[in-house]
Amino acid sequence: MALKHSLILASGSPRRVDLLHQAGIEPARLMPMDIDETPKKAEHPRSLARRLSAEKGEAAFAALTGDVAWAGSYLLSADTVVAVGRRILPKAEFVEEASAALHLLSGRNHTVYTGICLITPDRTLRQKVVETKVRFKRLSGNDIEFYLASGQWRGKAGAYAIQGLAGSFVQKLVGSYTNVVGLPLYETMLLLSGEGFDIHAHWQEG
């Protein structure tokens, strides 16, 4: 039997799952997609976020093709990119990368872009890119040293997680906070409800 109006999340991010839970939505399935996230030459960070979110969604959709159990499901994917101007900061995997990113962000403005992509049961593809402006305080040597020691930078775009210790670095934020965490809730719920997904289905359950 098809799982009508269930949501598949093409991500393994605990932060995105938590944000959906906050909005009262329980993904029926998580499908993290392993794709090449290398920016193209001269690619704008906004374009990168849009492209990668679509590629993740399309890869998950292709993996589900022919599986009738998920035929009535919605498929949501997202990708978050952090940039200083047009310079894209990679997801930090090594301490040297994280250190360089934090030194670059120190006392400066940067932009967080999240591309969201929704594929509906009738195979309609909808996309949105949300951007948030963030300014970090000037980071001291101790700020950077102890943050690197915390490990909270690992695997994060821009080498920080705003919902953790790095929240204390934020001097100013203009736009969506949840966008910086990894999934802009307002825009995501708008996209889902606009395509017929019942975003309130489980609200009365608490």
Side-chain angles (χ1 to χ4, degrees):
M1 180 182 295
L3 301 174
K4 296 295 184 183
H5 284 205
S6 60
L7 181 70
I8 298 168
L9 180 63
S11 173
S13 166
R15 296 165 298 285
R16 293 190 178 120
V17 173
D18 288 345
L19 286 167
L20 286 173
H21 286 167
Q22 182 181 329
I25 294 175
E26 176 68 51
R29 182 173 177 179
L30 302 181
M31 291 187 66
M33 291 290 107
D34 184 17
I35 66 168
D36 183 0
E37 299 188 10
T38 306
K40 295 180 179 178
K41 185 176 182 180
E43 188 170 24
H44 191 279
R46 168 183 280 274
S47 300
L48 177 64
R50 182 180 182 87
R51 177 173 65 83
L52 293 182
S53 65
E55 288 182 1
K56 289 177 180 179
E58 289 164 350
F61 182 82
L64 289 169
T65 298
D67 190 340
V68 296
W70 302 97
S73 300
Y74 290 74
L75 197 154
L76 179 69
S77 56
D79 190 82
T80 300
V81 174
V82 174
V84 176
R86 292 180 63 101
R87 179 175 174 181
I88 297 167
L89 278 63
K91 291 181 174 69
E93 298 297 341
F94 303 101
V95 69
E96 295 80 9
E97 293 176 322
S99 177
L102 293 170
H103 278 93
L104 180 64
L105 296 175
S106 176
R108 303 178 73 165
N109 294 318
H110 63 275
T111 307
V112 180
Y113 301 88
T114 298
I116 49 177
C117 177
L118 179 68
I119 301 177
T120 69
D122 64 2
R123 302 188 178 187
T124 300
L125 188 148
R126 296 280 186 254
Q127 280 193 273
K128 176 86 174 171
V129 179
V130 181
E131 68 177 79
T132 303
K133 303 289 187 184
V134 183
R135 182 176 181 85
F136 269 16
K137 71 173 186 175
R138 189 167 298 280
L139 303 177
S140 68
N142 277 344
D143 287 332
I144 293 175
E145 179 183 348
F146 282 100
Y147 190 70
L148 292 174
S150 77
Q152 291 189 9
W153 51 269
R154 198 175 302 277
K156 307 296 193 303
Y160 76 93
I162 195 172
Q163 71 275 20
L165 297 170
S168 64
F169 298 164
V170 178
Q171 187 175 3
K172 185 178 182 181
L173 185 149
V174 180
S176 167
Y177 170 82
T178 55
N179 181 51
V180 185
V181 179
L183 189 70
L185 278 185
Y186 168 74
E187 291 81 2
T188 300
M189 295 305 107
L190 200 63
L191 206 57
L192 284 166
S193 61
E195 294 300 325
F197 185 90
D198 186 359
I199 63 173
H200 302 118
H202 301 291
W203 281 26
Q204 292 182 338
E205 299 174 9

